[in-house]
Amino acid sequence: MLLIKNIGAIVGVRDHADCPLRGEGMNHLPELHDAWLMADGDRIHSFGKMSECPERADEEIDARGGWLFPAFCDSHTHLVFAGNREKEFVDKINGLSYAEIAARGGGILNSADRLHGYSEQQLFEEAAPRLDAIIASGTGAVEIKSGYGLTLEDELKMLRVIARIKEEYPLAVRSTFLGAHAVGRAYEGRQEEYVDYVCREMIPAVAAERLADYVDVFCEQGFFTVEQTDRIFNHAERYGITPRLHANQLHCSGGVQVGVKHGAASVDHLENIGQTEIDILATSDTIATVLPGASFFLNMCHAPARGLIKAGAAVAIASDYNPGSSPSGDMRFMSSLGCIQLRITPEQSLNASTLNGAAAMGLAESYGSITPGKTASFFLTRPLPSAAYLLYSYTEPLITKVFLQGRNFL
């Protein structure tokens, strides 16, 4: 048994929490002050006020007034990639848009070209420091997509690396097949043939090796149409693979509608949606995942998170960690951007980046809150004046310890 005592406050304390928060529910972030917490192996056993603290345990840690938060749950990343794209960073500074860079052969295709020459071992070794960094910043559960392969062999290579990460890292990892991220170079000008390739060859091969928990499509003008997305999802569903979706990042593309139609676990981005899409999401079980890091890095409009919450949608925040449009997996920073750029409250932002992020990965029964029986993945900070301070002082080194599955990793 592990006992953490003298905790200034435990944030996100819930007796039961296995579904996403919506509307008014996102305003509430329960706290227990002057507290202790007990973990039994990889599970949260119990917690309470220091006045009722157990007298002994196998291992004891004195939090010295520091605060305890549930680990962040990052439900949208492209964390496995080859090299970087800092040249495109300069291109953006010089005025080129995301679409213009892609049209010139940059963007996703640039990453695919680099990845083609990498072995699985090289990809794993490059991903390792990124994984270490997100753990150190408090992330305990993460979704990782393929999508920089764009050939059957390279997509399988990425997914096998993600499978290895699942086995070797203490994070909860969900894998997503994103063969429809862009049209591979070999199919330039033959988009429908590439969609055939995704449906008839890629999806069956991915399913045969059981490498993907989800299938994703970049449903966007210049990438894949609503009709093509619908077709890919129909094929994936035959193999029992749940959809999730890149939707409405650059244009009002119809992505929200096709995602909800197929019962997608989440639709992600949502920078260009109107009241129609907000209402659809508010009455569906699909999580509305916003990616403020991408909007920040690309200097684009942000998703209307406040409107989505007001309407009753379940809103999650994720990092979109990738080399082109969001080269950071720091979920504390993403949660701060939720407050600074999306104008949602610290309570809403922390709920979006913990419990609702877990729900977007099908992990709400085990992650996202401090609840007896859930996985003991959480982090400790220095003493804080409030939970809001964690997001207010977003560059101050406040995190002192990170526990994943009951083990101290920082």
Side-chain angles (χ1 to χ4, degrees):
M1 291 282 223
L2 166 68
L3 173 63
I4 304 175
K5 59 186 182 180
N6 296 319
I7 303 168
I10 304 176
V11 179
V13 172
R14 299 180 188 276
D15 291 334
H16 302 283
D18 57 4
C19 58
L21 300 168
R22 296 174 175 271
E24 178 64 23
M26 291 195 68
N27 296 328
H28 301 292
L29 187 64
E31 299 176 1
L32 179 66
H33 289 253
D34 189 25
W36 57 269
L37 179 141
M38 184 86 78
D40 185 1
D42 65 350
R43 297 286 158 177
I44 297 170
H45 179 270
S46 53
F47 50 79
K49 299 285 288 183
M50 276 302 296
S51 58
E52 302 170 348
C53 184
E55 292 185 2
R56 63 180 63 181
D58 299 323
E59 180 184 0
E60 293 187 9
I61 291 176
D62 190 341
R64 299 180 182 276
W67 286 41
L68 188 149
F69 292 78
F72 292 117
C73 298
D74 189 353
S75 61
H76 183 128
T77 84
H78 306 255
L79 188 145
V80 173
F81 55 85
N84 294 292
R85 284 166 32 198
E86 67 275 6
K87 184 180 181 300
E88 294 176 17
F89 173 62
V90 178
D91 288 339
K92 294 182 185 80
I93 293 168
N94 288 329
L96 292 182
S97 70
Y98 183 80
E100 287 170 333
I101 291 169
R104 290 171 45 167
I108 296 164
L109 294 179
N110 186 352
S111 286
D113 292 341
R114 291 181 178 222
L115 185 135
H116 182 68
Y118 272 54
S119 67
E120 288 183 25
Q121 180 63 26
Q122 287 173 305
L123 279 176
F124 182 83
E125 289 175 357
E126 280 209 1
R130 300 176 199 133
L131 290 158
D132 292 341
I134 68 170
I135 289 172
S137 64
T139 292
V142 63
E143 181 261 13
I144 309 175
K145 304 178 191 294
S146 67
Y148 292 132
L150 308 184
T151 67
L152 175 58
E153 295 76 13
D154 288 342
E155 286 293 305
L156 291 175
K157 177 166 60 179
M158 290 191 72
L159 289 166
R160 288 173 187 143
V161 171
I162 298 168
R164 182 177 171 188
I165 291 169
K166 284 187 181 184
E167 292 178 358
E168 297 189 19
Y169 276 80
L171 296 153
V173 177
R174 289 293 179 263
S175 58
T176 297
F177 166 61
L178 181 56
H181 200 191
V183 175
R185 289 200 190 277
Y187 286 83
E188 185 176 358
R190 297 181 293 138
Q191 186 164 4
E192 283 296 328
E193 290 182 42
Y194 183 75
V195 173
D196 287 342
Y197 179 43
V198 170
C199 292
R200 295 177 183 174
E201 296 191 41
M202 288 189 178
I203 289 174
V206 169
E209 293 193 37
R210 298 183 178 180
L211 289 172
D213 301 301
Y214 299 99
V215 63
D216 197 345
V217 177
F218 192 7
C219 182
E220 186 58 73
Q221 185 175 317
F223 292 88
F224 296 92
T225 67
V226 167
E227 293 74 21
Q228 291 165 342
T229 301
D230 187 63
R231 185 176 164 204
I232 291 167
F233 283 171
N234 281 330
H235 275 265
E237 287 162 2
R238 294 174 192 173
Y239 292 89
I241 307 176
T242 302
R244 58 191 321 120
L245 189 64
H246 284 64
N248 298 65
Q249 180 184 14
L250 307 175
H251 305 89
C252 197
S253 63
V256 169
Q257 286 85 339
V258 71
V260 171
K261 170 188 171 183
H262 284 275
S266 68
V267 290
D268 305 4
H269 275 296
L270 308 177
E271 291 90 340
N272 287 281
I273 61 172
Q275 194 60 47
T276 297
E277 289 78 14
I278 290 173
D279 291 342
I280 289 170
L281 287 166
T283 55
S284 78
D285 292 328
T286 297
I287 307 277
T289 301
V290 298
L291 308 173
S295 296
F296 169 79
F297 189 77
L298 296 174
N299 198 25
M300 293 171 57
C301 64
H302 287 267
R306 290 181 67 175
L308 284 160
I309 292 171
K310 183 178 180 180
V315 175
I317 288 175
S319 74
D320 196 17
Y321 193 2
N322 75 80
S325 60
S326 187
S328 171
D330 188 331
M331 281 293 287
R332 178 184 165 201
F333 177 58
M334 302 305 158
S335 302
S336 295
L337 287 178
C339 300
I340 298 164
Q341 300 285 2
L342 277 62
R343 312 307 296 169
I344 62 176
T345 67
E347 293 82 4
Q348 292 168 341
S349 193
L350 286 167
N351 282 325
S353 59
T354 53
L355 184 55
N356 282 11
M361 294 183 278
L363 292 170
E365 291 186 356
S366 298
Y367 285 83
S369 67
I370 304 301
T371 300
K374 283 199 174 188
T375 302
S377 291
F378 46 78
F379 60 87
L380 282 170
T381 71
R382 298 176 183 174
L384 305 177
S386 68
Y389 190 85
L390 183 74
L391 307 186
Y392 158 79
S393 186
Y394 57 89
T395 63
E396 186 178 348
L398 297 174
I399 296 176
T400 59
K401 293 184 183 296
V402 176
F403 291 83
L404 298 183
Q405 299 175 9
R407 296 165 57 198
N408 185 2
F409 282 86
L410 183 65

